[in-house]
Amino acid sequence: MSAGPGRVDGAAVALVATTAEVLAHPELGEGLLAPWERRRLAGIRVPGRRDDVLAARLLLRLCASRATGLEPGDVEPAQRCPGCGRDGHGRPYLPDRPGLGVSFSHADGLAAAAAGPGPVGIDVEPLTRRPGPVSVLRRLLPEYEVDAACAEPDPGPALLRLWVRREALFKAGRDDVRLTEWTDRRRAAVVALAGAAEAPVPSLSPGPAPSPSPSPAPPSGR
Ligand SMILES: [Zn+2]
């Protein structure tokens, strides 16, 4: 994986990769995971999904490493659930770095992670995924956005973009943050990054940086 801009003060580091790329990365390995993370991995019965979860957790360490200068092995993320308040699942954070937001995401054979100042949320989905049905999306997403997407000649990609944006905002924990969404053609992935107000262009690696398509933040109050 190439370094990208790396440690720019106040900027976020966001990485998207295939699970295979992460697992082949020389700086990363399952040994970096904390015992509680390894216990959670051990409970995942589907090998492909287990690898995706492992890759996302490792990629989070790489992002935080690049944002802080710590070695990936010295990054010690924790998780706390905003729903039930328990540790070990839910929103990731770095107890030692309260000002640095972190987020990770995984989907079939894909992983993404981000680290940056303030609330950060990232979501990755395969380009071919089609969220739905529309009746469900109408309950989860702003109706006018769903209607606009459905008015397009091929609503599928538009609905997917809405979905990853919504997920990234949800993970950031707030709506009034910068939202950037882009397509990584090489990995057939759609990605959204919420937060990291001072980082207009995420540094993506490995591979050439795509052209992000900045999306305006949605109206507040949603
Ligand atoms: Zn919970």
Coordinates of all heavy atoms in Angstrom, one line a residue, residues 84-161:
C84 N -26.7 0.3 23.4 CA -26.8 -0.3 24.7 C -25.7 0.1 25.7 O -25.8 -0.2 26.9 CB -26.8 -1.8 24.6 SG -25.2 -2.5 24.1
G85 N -24.7 0.9 25.2 CA -23.7 1.4 26.2 C -22.7 0.4 26.5 O -21.8 0.7 27.3
R86 N -22.7 -0.8 25.9 CA -21.7 -1.8 26.3 C -20.5 -1.6 25.4 O -20.5 -1.1 24.3 CB -22.3 -3.2 26.1 CG -23.3 -3.5 27.2 CD -23.6 -5.0 27.2 NE -24.9 -5.2 27.9 CZ -25.6 -6.3 27.7 NH1 -25.2 -7.3 26.9 NH2 -26.7 -6.5 28.4
D87 N -19.3 -2.2 26.0 CA -18.1 -2.2 25.2 C -18.0 -3.4 24.3 O -18.7 -4.4 24.5 CB -16.9 -2.2 26.2 CG -16.8 -0.9 27.0 OD1 -17.2 0.2 26.4 OD2 -16.4 -0.9 28.1
G88 N -17.1 -3.3 23.3 CA -16.8 -4.5 22.5 C -17.6 -4.6 21.2 O -17.3 -5.4 20.3
H89 N -18.5 -3.7 21.0 CA -19.2 -3.6 19.7 C -19.6 -2.1 19.5 O -19.5 -1.3 20.5 CB -20.3 -4.6 19.5 CG -21.5 -4.3 20.5 ND1 -21.5 -4.7 21.8 CD2 -22.7 -3.7 20.3 CE1 -22.6 -4.4 22.3 NE2 -23.4 -3.8 21.4
G90 N -20.1 -1.8 18.4 CA -20.6 -0.4 18.1 C -19.4 0.5 17.7 O -18.5 0.0 17.0
R91 N -19.5 1.7 18.0 CA -18.6 2.7 17.4 C -17.2 2.6 18.0 O -17.0 2.6 19.2 CB -19.2 4.1 17.8 CG -18.6 5.2 17.0 CD -19.5 6.5 17.2 NE -20.8 6.3 16.5 CZ -21.9 6.9 16.9 NH1 -22.0 7.6 17.9 NH2 -23.0 6.7 16.2
P92 N -16.2 2.5 17.0 CA -14.9 2.4 17.5 C -14.3 3.7 17.9 O -14.7 4.8 17.4 CB -14.1 1.9 16.2 CG -14.9 2.3 15.1 CD -16.4 2.4 15.6
Y93 N -13.4 3.7 18.8 CA -12.7 4.9 19.3 C -11.3 4.6 19.8 O -11.0 3.4 20.1 CB -13.5 5.7 20.3 CG -13.7 5.0 21.6 CD1 -13.0 5.4 22.7 CD2 -14.6 3.9 21.7 CE1 -13.2 4.8 24.0 CE2 -14.7 3.3 22.9 CZ -14.0 3.7 24.1 OH -14.2 3.0 25.3
L94 N -10.5 5.6 20.0 CA -9.2 5.4 20.6 C -9.1 6.0 22.0 O -9.1 7.2 22.1 CB -8.1 6.0 19.7 CG -8.0 5.5 18.2 CD1 -7.0 6.3 17.5 CD2 -7.8 4.0 18.2
P95 N -9.2 5.2 23.0 CA -9.2 5.7 24.4 C -8.0 6.7 24.6 O -8.2 7.6 25.4 CB -9.1 4.5 25.2 CG -9.7 3.4 24.4 CD -9.3 3.7 23.0
D96 N -6.9 6.4 24.0 CA -5.7 7.2 24.2 C -5.7 8.5 23.4 O -4.9 9.4 23.6 CB -4.4 6.4 23.9 CG -4.2 5.2 24.8 OD1 -4.9 5.2 25.9 OD2 -3.5 4.3 24.5
R97 N -6.6 8.6 22.4 CA -6.6 9.8 21.5 C -8.0 10.2 21.4 O -8.7 10.0 20.3 CB -6.0 9.4 20.1 CG -4.7 8.8 20.1 CD -3.6 9.9 20.0 NE -2.3 9.3 20.2 CZ -1.2 9.9 19.7 NH1 -1.3 11.0 18.9 NH2 0.0 9.4 19.9
P98 N -8.6 10.9 22.4 CA -10.0 11.2 22.3 C -10.3 12.2 21.2 O -11.5 12.3 20.8 CB -10.2 11.8 23.7 CG -8.9 12.1 24.3 CD -7.9 11.2 23.7
G99 N -9.3 13.0 20.7 CA -9.6 13.9 19.7 C -9.6 13.3 18.3 O -10.0 14.0 17.3
L100 N -9.2 12.1 18.1 CA -9.1 11.5 16.8 C -10.2 10.5 16.6 O -10.3 9.5 17.3 CB -7.7 10.8 16.7 CG -7.4 10.3 15.3 CD1 -6.9 11.5 14.4 CD2 -6.3 9.2 15.3
G101 N -11.0 10.8 15.6 CA -12.1 9.9 15.3 C -11.6 8.7 14.4 O -10.7 8.9 13.6
V102 N -12.2 7.6 14.6 CA -11.8 6.4 13.7 C -13.1 5.7 13.3 O -14.1 5.8 14.0 CB -10.9 5.4 14.4 CG1 -9.5 6.0 14.6 CG2 -11.4 4.9 15.8
S103 N -13.0 5.1 12.2 CA -14.2 4.3 11.7 C -13.7 3.2 10.8 O -12.6 3.3 10.2 CB -15.1 5.2 10.9 OG -16.3 4.6 10.5
F104 N -14.5 2.1 10.7 CA -14.1 1.1 9.7 C -15.4 0.5 9.1 O -16.5 0.6 9.7 CB -13.2 0.0 10.3 CG -13.8 -0.8 11.4 CD1 -14.6 -1.9 11.1 CD2 -13.6 -0.5 12.7 CE1 -15.1 -2.7 12.1 CE2 -14.2 -1.3 13.7 CZ -14.9 -2.4 13.4
S105 N -15.2 -0.2 8.0 CA -16.4 -0.7 7.3 C -15.9 -1.9 6.5 O -14.7 -2.0 6.1 CB -16.9 0.3 6.3 OG -18.0 -0.2 5.6
H106 N -16.7 -2.9 6.4 CA -16.4 -4.1 5.5 C -17.6 -4.5 4.8 O -18.7 -4.4 5.2 CB -15.7 -5.2 6.3 CG -16.5 -5.6 7.5 ND1 -17.6 -6.4 7.5 CD2 -16.4 -5.2 8.8 CE1 -18.1 -6.5 8.7 NE2 -17.4 -5.8 9.5
A107 N -17.3 -5.1 3.6 CA -18.4 -5.7 2.8 C -17.7 -6.8 2.0 O -16.5 -7.1 2.2 CB -18.9 -4.6 1.8
D108 N -18.4 -7.5 1.2 CA -17.9 -8.7 0.5 C -16.6 -8.5 -0.1 O -16.5 -7.9 -1.2 CB -18.9 -9.2 -0.5 CG -20.3 -9.4 0.1 OD1 -20.3 -9.8 1.3 OD2 -21.3 -9.3 -0.6
G109 N -15.5 -8.9 0.5 CA -14.2 -8.8 0.0 C -13.5 -7.4 0.0 O -12.5 -7.2 -0.6
L110 N -14.2 -6.5 0.7 CA -13.7 -5.1 0.8 C -13.6 -4.6 2.2 O -14.3 -5.1 3.1 CB -14.7 -4.2 0.0 CG -14.9 -4.4 -1.5 CD1 -16.1 -3.6 -1.9 CD2 -13.7 -4.0 -2.2
A111 N -12.6 -3.7 2.4 CA -12.5 -3.1 3.7 C -12.2 -1.6 3.5 O -11.5 -1.2 2.5 CB -11.3 -3.8 4.5
A112 N -12.6 -0.8 4.5 CA -12.3 0.6 4.4 C -12.1 1.1 5.9 O -12.7 0.5 6.8 CB -13.4 1.4 3.7
A113 N -11.3 2.1 6.0 CA -11.2 2.7 7.4 C -10.7 4.1 7.2 O -10.3 4.6 6.2 CB -10.1 1.9 8.2
A114 N -11.0 4.9 8.3 CA -10.6 6.3 8.3 C -10.2 6.7 9.7 O -10.7 6.1 10.7 CB -11.8 7.1 7.8
A115 N -9.3 7.7 9.8 CA -9.0 8.3 11.1 C -8.8 9.8 10.8 O -8.1 10.1 9.8 CB -7.7 7.6 11.6
G116 N -9.3 10.6 11.7 CA -9.2 12.0 11.5 C -9.7 12.8 12.7 O -10.3 12.2 13.6
P117 N -9.5 14.1 12.7 CA -9.9 14.9 13.8 C -11.5 14.9 13.9 O -12.1 15.1 12.9 CB -9.3 16.3 13.5 CG -9.1 16.3 12.1 CD -8.8 14.9 11.6
G118 N -12.0 14.8 15.1 CA -13.4 14.9 15.3 C -14.2 13.7 14.8 O -13.6 12.6 14.6
P119 N -15.5 13.7 14.7 CA -16.3 12.6 14.4 C -16.0 12.1 12.9 O -15.9 13.0 12.0 CB -17.7 13.0 14.5 CG -17.7 14.4 15.1 CD -16.3 14.9 15.0
V120 N -15.8 10.9 12.7 CA -15.5 10.3 11.4 C -16.3 9.1 11.2 O -16.5 8.3 12.1 CB -14.0 9.9 11.3 CG1 -13.7 9.1 10.1 CG2 -13.1 11.2 11.3
G121 N -16.8 8.9 10.0 CA -17.6 7.7 9.7 C -17.3 7.3 8.2 O -17.2 8.1 7.4
I122 N -17.1 6.0 8.0 CA -16.8 5.6 6.6 C -17.7 4.3 6.3 O -18.0 3.5 7.2 CB -15.3 5.2 6.4 CG1 -15.0 5.2 4.9 CG2 -14.9 4.0 7.2 CD1 -13.5 5.2 4.6
D123 N -18.1 4.2 5.1 CA -18.8 3.0 4.7 C -18.4 2.6 3.3 O -18.2 3.5 2.4 CB -20.3 3.3 4.7 CG -21.1 2.0 4.5 OD1 -20.9 1.1 5.3 OD2 -21.9 1.9 3.5
V124 N -18.2 1.3 3.0 CA -17.9 0.8 1.7 C -18.9 -0.3 1.3 O -19.3 -1.0 2.2 CB -16.4 0.2 1.7 CG1 -16.3 -0.9 2.7 CG2 -16.0 -0.2 0.3
E125 N -19.3 -0.3 0.1 CA -20.2 -1.3 -0.4 C -19.7 -1.7 -1.8 O -19.2 -0.8 -2.6 CB -21.6 -0.7 -0.5 CG -22.2 -0.3 0.8 CD -22.6 -1.5 1.7 OE1 -22.6 -2.6 1.3 OE2 -22.9 -1.2 2.9
P126 N -19.9 -2.9 -2.2 CA -19.6 -3.3 -3.6 C -20.5 -2.5 -4.6 O -21.7 -2.3 -4.3 CB -20.0 -4.8 -3.6 CG -20.1 -5.3 -2.2 CD -20.4 -4.1 -1.4
L127 N -19.8 -2.1 -5.7 CA -20.5 -1.4 -6.7 C -21.8 -2.0 -7.2 O -22.7 -1.3 -7.6 CB -19.5 -1.2 -7.8 CG -19.6 -0.1 -8.9 CD1 -19.8 1.3 -8.2 CD2 -18.3 -0.1 -9.7
T128 N -21.8 -3.3 -7.1 CA -22.9 -4.1 -7.7 C -24.1 -4.2 -6.7 O -25.1 -4.7 -7.0 CB -22.5 -5.5 -8.1 OG1 -21.8 -6.1 -7.0 CG2 -21.6 -5.4 -9.3
R129 N -23.8 -3.8 -5.4 CA -24.9 -4.0 -4.4 C -26.1 -3.1 -4.7 O -25.9 -2.0 -5.1 CB -24.3 -3.8 -3.0 CG -25.4 -4.0 -1.9 CD -24.8 -4.1 -0.5 NE -24.1 -5.4 -0.3 CZ -23.4 -5.6 0.8 NH1 -23.3 -4.8 1.7 NH2 -22.7 -6.8 0.9
R130 N -27.3 -3.6 -4.4 CA -28.5 -2.8 -4.6 C -29.3 -2.8 -3.3 O -29.9 -3.8 -3.0 CB -29.3 -3.4 -5.8 CG -28.6 -3.2 -7.2 CD -28.5 -1.8 -7.6 NE -27.7 -1.6 -8.8 CZ -26.4 -1.2 -8.7 NH1 -25.8 -0.9 -7.6 NH2 -25.8 -1.0 -9.9
P131 N -29.2 -1.7 -2.6 CA -30.0 -1.7 -1.4 C -31.5 -1.7 -1.7 O -31.9 -1.2 -2.7 CB -29.5 -0.4 -0.7 CG -29.1 0.5 -1.8 CD -28.6 -0.4 -2.9
G132 N -32.3 -2.1 -0.8 CA -33.7 -2.1 -1.0 C -34.4 -3.1 -0.1 O -33.8 -3.6 0.8
P133 N -35.7 -3.3 -0.3 CA -36.5 -2.7 -1.3 C -36.8 -1.2 -1.0 O -36.5 -0.7 0.1 CB -37.8 -3.5 -1.3 CG -37.8 -4.0 0.1 CD -36.4 -4.2 0.5
V134 N -37.2 -0.5 -2.1 CA -37.4 0.9 -2.0 C -38.4 1.3 -0.8 O -38.2 2.3 -0.2 CB -38.0 1.5 -3.3 CG1 -38.4 2.9 -3.2 CG2 -36.9 1.4 -4.4
S135 N -39.4 0.4 -0.6 CA -40.3 0.8 0.5 C -39.5 0.8 1.9 O -39.9 1.7 2.7 CB -41.4 -0.3 0.6 OG -40.8 -1.6 0.8
V136 N -38.5 0.0 2.0 CA -37.7 0.1 3.2 C -36.8 1.3 3.2 O -36.7 2.0 4.2 CB -36.9 -1.2 3.4 CG1 -35.9 -1.1 4.5 CG2 -37.8 -2.4 3.6
L137 N -36.2 1.6 2.1 CA -35.3 2.7 2.0 C -36.1 4.0 2.3 O -35.5 4.9 2.9 CB -34.7 2.8 0.6 CG -33.8 1.7 0.2 CD1 -33.3 1.8 -1.2 CD2 -32.6 1.5 1.2
R138 N -37.3 4.1 1.9 CA -38.1 5.3 2.2 C -38.2 5.5 3.7 O -38.4 6.7 4.2 CB -39.5 5.1 1.6 CG -39.6 5.6 0.2 CD -41.1 5.6 -0.3 NE -41.1 5.3 -1.7 CZ -40.8 6.1 -2.6 NH1 -40.4 7.3 -2.3 NH2 -40.8 5.8 -3.9
R139 N -38.2 4.5 4.5 CA -38.3 4.6 5.9 C -36.9 5.0 6.6 O -36.9 5.6 7.6 CB -38.8 3.3 6.6 CG -40.2 3.0 6.2 CD -40.9 2.1 7.3 NE -40.2 0.8 7.3 CZ -40.6 -0.3 6.6 NH1 -41.6 -0.1 5.7 NH2 -39.9 -1.4 6.7
L140 N -35.8 4.6 5.9 CA -34.5 4.8 6.5 C -33.8 6.1 5.9 O -32.9 6.6 6.6 CB -33.6 3.6 6.1 CG -34.2 2.3 6.7 CD1 -33.3 1.1 6.2 CD2 -34.2 2.3 8.2
L141 N -34.2 6.5 4.8 CA -33.5 7.6 4.1 C -34.5 8.8 3.9 O -35.7 8.5 3.9 CB -32.9 7.2 2.8 CG -31.9 6.1 2.8 CD1 -31.7 5.5 1.4 CD2 -30.6 6.5 3.4
P142 N -34.0 10.0 3.7 CA -34.9 11.1 3.4 C -35.8 10.7 2.2 O -35.2 10.4 1.1 CB -34.0 12.3 3.2 CG -32.7 11.9 3.9 CD -32.6 10.4 3.8
E143 N -37.1 10.9 2.3 CA -37.9 10.4 1.2 C -37.6 11.2 -0.1 O -37.7 10.6 -1.2 CB -39.4 10.6 1.6 CG -40.2 9.5 1.1 CD -41.6 9.5 1.7 OE1 -41.8 10.1 2.8 OE2 -42.5 8.9 1.1
Y144 N -37.3 12.5 0.0 CA -37.1 13.2 -1.2 C -35.9 12.8 -2.0 O -35.8 12.8 -3.2 CB -37.1 14.8 -0.9 CG -35.8 15.2 -0.3 CD1 -34.7 15.7 -1.0 CD2 -35.7 15.2 1.1 CE1 -33.6 16.1 -0.4 CE2 -34.5 15.6 1.8 CZ -33.5 16.1 1.0 OH -32.3 16.5 1.6
E145 N -34.9 12.3 -1.2 CA -33.7 11.8 -1.8 C -34.0 10.4 -2.5 O -33.4 10.2 -3.6 CB -32.6 11.6 -0.8 CG -32.0 12.9 -0.3 CD -30.8 12.7 0.6 OE1 -30.5 11.5 1.0 OE2 -30.1 13.7 0.9
V146 N -34.8 9.6 -1.9 CA -35.1 8.3 -2.5 C -35.9 8.6 -3.8 O -35.7 7.9 -4.8 CB -35.9 7.5 -1.5 CG1 -36.4 6.2 -2.2 CG2 -35.1 7.1 -0.3
D147 N -36.9 9.5 -3.7 CA -37.7 9.8 -4.9 C -36.8 10.3 -6.0 O -37.0 9.9 -7.2 CB -38.7 10.9 -4.5 CG -39.8 10.3 -3.6 OD1 -39.9 9.1 -3.6 OD2 -40.5 11.1 -3.0
A148 N -35.8 11.2 -5.7 CA -34.9 11.7 -6.7 C -34.1 10.6 -7.4 O -33.9 10.5 -8.6 CB -34.0 12.8 -6.2
A149 N -33.6 9.6 -6.5 CA -32.9 8.5 -7.1 C -33.7 7.6 -8.0 O -33.3 7.2 -9.0 CB -32.3 7.7 -5.9
C150 N -35.0 7.4 -7.5 CA -35.9 6.6 -8.3 C -36.3 7.2 -9.6 O -36.7 6.5 -10.5 CB -37.1 6.2 -7.5 SG -36.8 5.1 -6.1
A151 N -36.1 8.5 -9.7 CA -36.5 9.2 -11.0 C -35.4 9.0 -12.0 O -35.6 9.4 -13.2 CB -36.8 10.7 -10.7
E152 N -34.2 8.6 -11.6 CA -33.1 8.4 -12.5 C -33.4 7.2 -13.4 O -34.1 6.2 -13.0 CB -31.8 8.2 -11.8 CG -31.4 9.5 -11.0 CD -29.9 9.5 -10.7 OE1 -29.2 8.7 -11.2 OE2 -29.6 10.4 -9.9
P153 N -32.8 7.2 -14.6 CA -33.0 6.0 -15.6 C -32.6 4.7 -14.9 O -33.3 3.7 -15.1 CB -32.1 6.4 -16.7 CG -31.9 7.8 -16.7 CD -31.9 8.2 -15.2
D154 N -31.5 4.7 -14.2 CA -31.2 3.4 -13.4 C -31.0 3.8 -12.0 O -30.0 4.3 -11.5 CB -29.8 2.9 -14.0 CG -29.4 1.6 -13.3 OD1 -30.2 1.1 -12.5 OD2 -28.3 1.1 -13.6
P155 N -32.1 3.6 -11.2 CA -32.1 4.0 -9.8 C -31.0 3.3 -8.9 O -30.6 3.8 -7.9 CB -33.5 3.7 -9.3 CG -34.3 3.5 -10.5 CD -33.4 3.0 -11.6
G156 N -30.6 2.1 -9.3 CA -29.8 1.2 -8.4 C -28.5 1.9 -7.9 O -28.3 2.0 -6.7
P157 N -27.7 2.4 -8.9 CA -26.5 3.1 -8.4 C -26.7 4.3 -7.5 O -26.0 4.6 -6.6 CB -25.7 3.5 -9.7 CG -26.3 2.5 -10.7 CD -27.7 2.3 -10.3
A158 N -27.8 5.1 -7.9 CA -28.1 6.3 -7.1 C -28.6 5.9 -5.7 O -28.2 6.6 -4.7 CB -29.2 7.1 -7.8
L159 N -29.3 4.9 -5.6 CA -29.8 4.4 -4.3 C -28.6 3.9 -3.4 O -28.5 4.1 -2.2 CB -30.9 3.3 -4.4 CG -32.2 3.8 -4.9 CD1 -33.1 2.6 -5.2 CD2 -32.9 4.8 -3.9
L160 N -27.7 3.2 -4.1 CA -26.5 2.7 -3.4 C -25.7 3.9 -2.8 O -25.2 3.9 -1.7 CB -25.6 1.9 -4.3 CG -24.4 1.3 -3.7 CD1 -24.7 0.3 -2.6 CD2 -23.5 0.6 -4.8
R161 N -25.5 4.9 -3.6 CA -24.8 6.1 -3.2 C -25.5 6.8 -2.0 O -24.8 7.2 -1.0 CB -24.6 7.1 -4.3 CG -23.6 6.7 -5.4 CD -23.2 7.9 -6.3 NE -24.3 8.4 -7.0 CZ -24.7 8.0 -8.2 NH1 -24.1 6.9 -8.7 NH2 -25.7 8.6 -8.7

